[in-house]
Amino acid sequence: MSEEKKSMDVSEESRQAGYEKEDANPVKIIGFAILTVVLMAAMVLGVVEVFIMTKEQQYHESVLRPESAPLRELRAQEEQILNSYKLLDSSKQIYQIPVSRAMELMADEAFKSRIGQSADRSGGARK
C-alpha cells in the first residue's frame, strides 16, 4: 500500500509540474543527441575519405599507370639523343655531347671565369 501512495504522490507532483519528472532527463537526451551528431559526422567524413581514396586509386590505375608502346619508344629515343656523343658537322667541327657533360663543362667554365675575375680584382688592389 505504501507503494501505491508513493506512485500517487509522484503522479500528483508530476501533474502539478506539467510533465513527468522521472522519465525525462534533459541532460542525458542532449548528451545522446550530441554524441549521435558527432558519430554521424565522423562516419560521413570517413565515407567521403574512403570514396576519395578509391577514386584516386582507380584514376591512377586506369589513366596514369598504363604506358603505351609509342610513348616508351619516344622516351627511349629522346634519352638516346640526350645522352650520346655525335658528330653533327665535320667541316665546322660541331659535336653533340650529352646534356649532363655539357652542364659540367659550362659550370667549370663559369667557375674558372669567376676565379679569374676575383684574382684580377684582388691582384689590382695589391699593386
Side-chain angles (χ1 to χ4, degrees):
M1 202 148 142
S2 64
E3 289 177 24
E4 254 180 54
K5 189 175 181 190
K6 263 188 175 179
S7 76
M8 288 187 162
D9 290 342
V10 169
S11 63
E12 186 63 36
E13 184 180 326
S14 297
R15 284 187 199 141
Q16 289 177 356
Y19 62 90
E20 190 72 34
K21 285 187 173 183
E22 285 89 33
D23 291 344
N25 185 348
V27 173
K28 287 183 181 179
I29 292 173
I30 292 171
F32 181 76
I34 290 172
L35 180 65
T36 302
V37 168
V38 168
L39 287 175
M40 291 294 286
M43 288 172 55
V44 166
L45 290 175
V47 168
V48 166
E49 191 64 31
V50 168
F51 174 76
I52 290 172
M53 286 176 22
T54 304
K55 181 179 170 185
E56 287 177 358
Q57 183 180 13
Q58 280 183 334
Y59 180 76
H60 183 268
E61 288 177 5
S62 64
V63 176
L64 298 177
R65 183 183 290 168
E67 190 174 290
S68 66
L71 181 60
R72 279 193 300 254
E73 291 171 8
L74 176 65
R75 287 185 178 162
Q77 184 181 14
E78 289 173 342
E79 196 69 29
Q80 192 271 335
I81 290 170
L82 288 175
N83 296 317
S84 65
Y85 291 91
K86 186 177 177 183
L87 176 62
L88 297 177
D89 188 0
S90 61
S91 64
K92 296 180 184 177
Q93 294 185 345
I94 298 176
Y95 297 92
Q96 173 183 316
I97 61 173
V99 171
S100 58
R101 179 67 180 140
M103 290 175 17
E104 288 174 13
L105 291 172
M106 294 298 290
D108 288 342
E109 187 179 311
F111 180 71
K112 287 176 184 176
S113 69
R114 277 204 174 164
I115 289 178
Q117 288 176 357
S118 64
D120 290 342
R121 288 183 196 154
S122 62
R126 290 182 187 173
K127 289 182 181 180

